[in-house]
Amino acid sequence: MGRPMGPCLVPTYVAGLACAGRAPVRSISRLQREAVLPPVRPAISVAGFMVLGLAAGALWRRRKVSSRQFLERLKLPLQPSLQQVIGVLQRVDPALGNLAETVSQVWGLLQSELAEQLTEDASGARSGRLLLHLFALGRLKSLQSAGFDLPVEQVPLVSDLPQLTEAYRLTKLAVASYGANVLALVGLLQFKDAWPSAGPDRDRVAAARYLEVPVERMLAYGTLGDSRKESEEPKSALERFKPWWILMEDGDELILSIRGSANIDDIATDLACATCEFLHGYAHEGVAGAVSAVWDEAESEVAKAIQARDYQRLVVCGHSLGGAVSLLLGMKLRATNALPLEVHAFAAGPPPAFQGESRPELEEGLISVINRFDPVPHLSLDAALRMVLAAEKLADEGLSWQQTLGLVVGTNEFASPKFDDLIAKIPKQAKAPLRIPGEAIWLVDACAGRQVLAVDLRGRLQDFVEELPEISVAQSALDHVMSTYVYNMEKALKRVT
């Protein structure tokens, strides 16, 4: 089984690609210092990309041009375009520029929904000026250590070996449904194992090889396609989101692993979806629709497996959007008592998808794992609205372009506005925000990244989810990749073993 591509190597080879046509203004070492993660052995050779990135850094050091000198020479128009701001950030840091382009795309997908909720004195219009202030806002939060705080007296660590072993096992099962192509792309599967003989069960074979189990344990799998009828026109990408799934057995447990989405458009469209009634509350219409689509197809296969053998429990699991679908499906099955066995659910990096009071009988068996700065568990329309409003408040502070860019790249030498003061000026929404049901474990770095601590978010998950997503650190987008979840969950387990 291959090792995941290291979080530190990914920015390096991305920077190498970006610098192939032009020299960067900052060295790769700065990005690696900010990431504070140790290098790991990748599954495939990225030596060529590393050489490009390191060579670009060496060329820059030879030029002896600092970020401060670059900002002093920079001339921006009063109203720069999105592409002008993205281009500047790419020159300052290629990985940061790529992240800015992604944020701009997500913002565009949410534009109409944000416009409906903004007040008359706040435009929220997507512009280069406001994009730059969004990143400056994120940097303020990081520099001032604002936002979610752990208890001062004692950090609630998860040090129970069986609990961490279970979380690591379920993390691997949750990502196994991604299939041959994605598993190989992120380094969880060797390329030679990712391309078995062509056929409809290709991803089934790849999942078995990744988990290093006999293929006979892969009992059934879903089909790929739209969940809508042919005569219907899709209102959004998520309304036709029908994730692929695979049913397998692991010891005396039945596992239903639901594939997530590697497409940022799907996640952004999820934020824009209207809510619908779900159990005793509300849920995203797209995710709730995916719950029905998956169970309509998988129910007969689950019943067939239960009739053939006695299983201790059914565990529904997934990563990203697949994790949100898993949590809601787990709640639904527990609420209806549809199966003659216990039902649990596990999610890695799910977005908030449920709104309603907490009921222990439905959420007791639900657990999520959240990796470092992963922005997806904080993504909601409410969070996006608060970010835009806070960025507009920061823009009203009258900072110059050099000062704002200095905030983003860490070269500011002036009294910065207070992040908490900017957030305090934003009125709270009357409607309760969406949340992640159940409990969660948060994976955080310690000892300069040599160790990963598992923090118990019991009783604090809602406060954690309502924090604004981290967008000022280029590493945050990589923290959502399924391979970094597997890698850091394994490091958290090794700390207690």
Side-chain angles (χ1 to χ4, degrees):
M1 180 178 65
R3 296 282 296 177
M5 185 176 294
C8 282
L9 290 175
V10 177
T12 303
Y13 85 75
V14 169
L17 285 174
C19 297
R22 60 183 183 274
V25 181
R26 293 176 66 199
S27 67
I28 305 302
S29 61
R30 173 66 181 271
L31 177 61
Q32 290 175 330
R33 286 198 302 272
E34 291 178 351
V36 200
L37 285 173
V40 296
R41 183 180 59 194
I44 59 175
S45 174
V46 293
F49 297 126
M50 290 178 60
V51 169
L52 282 173
L54 294 175
L59 286 173
W60 170 240
R61 286 190 295 271
R62 185 174 298 178
R63 289 175 59 184
K64 297 183 179 179
V65 179
S66 67
S67 296
R68 184 180 297 107
Q69 290 172 321
F70 169 71
L71 295 180
E72 291 173 353
R73 299 175 185 177
L74 180 65
K75 301 295 182 182
L76 277 176
L78 292 177
Q79 295 295 333
S81 67
L82 285 167
Q83 289 305 316
Q84 285 176 320
V85 170
I86 292 172
V88 168
L89 293 178
Q90 284 177 334
R91 289 200 63 192
V92 172
D93 188 326
L96 189 61
N98 293 336
L99 181 59
E101 190 165 5
T102 300
V103 170
S104 175
Q105 292 172 357
V106 172
W107 192 0
L109 291 169
L110 298 175
Q111 190 65 47
S112 59
E113 285 73 19
L114 288 174
E116 294 177 359
Q117 302 191 37
L118 288 169
T119 58
E120 294 182 359
D121 59 342
S123 66
R126 192 166 60 125
S127 65
R129 175 175 175 268
L130 201 51
L131 178 65
L132 185 61
H133 283 88
L134 276 175
F135 277 82
L137 179 73
R139 181 62 72 178
L140 277 179
K141 177 184 176 183
S142 176
L143 291 174
Q144 298 173 4
S145 300
F148 180 78
D149 285 327
L150 291 170
V152 177
E153 300 82 12
Q154 183 178 3
V155 177
L157 296 181
V158 179
S159 299
D160 181 61
L161 181 58
Q163 185 178 358
L164 291 177
T165 302
E166 176 78 348
Y168 175 58
R169 179 180 71 93
L170 292 176
T171 301
K172 294 180 62 178
L173 291 169
V175 306
S177 54
Y178 269 103
N181 291 346
V182 176
L183 290 175
L185 182 64
V186 300
L188 290 174
L189 191 66
Q190 295 285 353
F191 277 102
K192 64 181 179 65
D193 294 328
W195 275 267
S197 57
D201 63 346
R202 176 171 176 262
D203 288 341
R204 168 176 169 261
V205 175
R209 291 180 177 177
Y210 163 61
L211 296 171
E212 297 180 310
V213 299
V215 72
E216 290 76 21
R217 294 189 184 178
M218 309 292 115
L219 305 179
Y221 54 89
T223 59
L224 299 176
D226 286 355
S227 59
R228 61 186 174 91
K229 297 178 181 178
E230 293 182 1
S231 60
E232 295 177 344
E233 285 294 329
K235 297 179 182 179
S236 68
L238 255 236
E239 287 182 350
R240 63 174 186 265
F241 176 60
K242 178 185 175 183
W244 189 79
W245 55 268
I246 184 167
L247 183 68
M248 65 188 93
E249 58 181 18
D250 187 48
D252 58 356
E253 294 182 350
L254 195 58
I255 307 294
L256 179 61
S257 180
I258 301 174
R259 179 182 295 177
S261 175
N263 187 347
I264 192 65
D265 290 354
D266 283 349
I267 298 175
T269 307
D270 170 44
L271 304 183
C273 267
T275 56
C276 64
E277 291 187 3
F278 187 85
L279 298 179
H280 58 283
Y282 296 89
H284 270 308
E285 189 175 14
V287 178
V291 169
S292 299
V294 168
W295 189 241
D296 287 347
E297 192 176 38
E299 182 179 10
S300 60
E301 296 295 342
V302 172
K304 186 187 303 182
I306 294 175
Q307 290 177 357
R309 180 185 167 187
D310 290 332
Y311 292 98
Q312 181 180 357
R313 63 177 183 171
L314 169 69
V315 179
V316 190
C317 59
H319 168 265
S320 191
L321 283 178
V325 175
S326 298
L327 294 176
L328 294 190
L329 179 55
M331 291 177 65
K332 180 179 179 180
L333 295 178
R334 290 174 70 93
T336 58
N337 292 317
L339 299 175
L341 74 170
E342 191 176 356
V343 176
H344 286 238
F346 175 86
F354 181 72
Q355 180 189 87
E357 65 177 0
S358 178
R359 295 189 177 179
E361 67 272 16
L362 301 185
E363 300 185 31
E364 186 176 350
L366 277 58
I367 185 72
S368 298
V369 168
I370 299 169
N371 183 41
R372 287 172 35 88
F373 296 125
D374 184 356
V376 171
H378 306 277
L379 284 181
S380 66
L381 193 58
D382 175 70
L385 178 64
R386 287 187 291 128
M387 286 183 67
V388 170
L389 292 176
E392 288 196 336
K393 297 295 183 184
L394 179 59
D396 293 339
E397 294 289 326
L399 303 180
S400 67
W401 285 118
Q402 283 75 14
Q403 289 175 324
T404 307
L405 278 171
L407 271 177
V408 176
V409 302
T411 62
N412 59 301
E413 298 177 351
F414 61 93
S416 303
K418 297 296 184 182
F419 175 86
D420 290 336
D421 293 343
L422 295 172
I423 295 297
K425 297 177 182 179
I426 302 173
K428 291 188 176 181
Q429 301 297 304
K431 187 171 64 173
L434 292 166
R435 64 184 180 88
I436 298 175
E439 301 295 341
I441 296 173
W442 182 26
L443 303 178
V444 297
D445 281 345
C447 303
R450 292 191 297 273
Q451 292 187 1
V452 173
L453 305 180
V455 178
D456 189 354
L457 292 178
R458 191 183 309 274
R460 302 178 180 87
L461 179 56
Q462 185 59 25
D463 292 337
F464 179 85
V465 170
E466 290 182 13
E467 278 300 312
L468 296 182
E470 179 60 71
I471 64 170
S472 66
V473 179
Q475 181 69 30
S476 61
L478 299 173
D479 286 336
H480 185 64
V481 178
M482 63 289 298
S483 57
T484 61
Y485 266 88
V486 175
Y487 170 71
N488 284 334
M489 194 66 246
E490 183 181 16
K491 287 189 69 175
L493 175 61
K494 286 183 176 178
R495 185 188 69 85
V496 300
T497 56

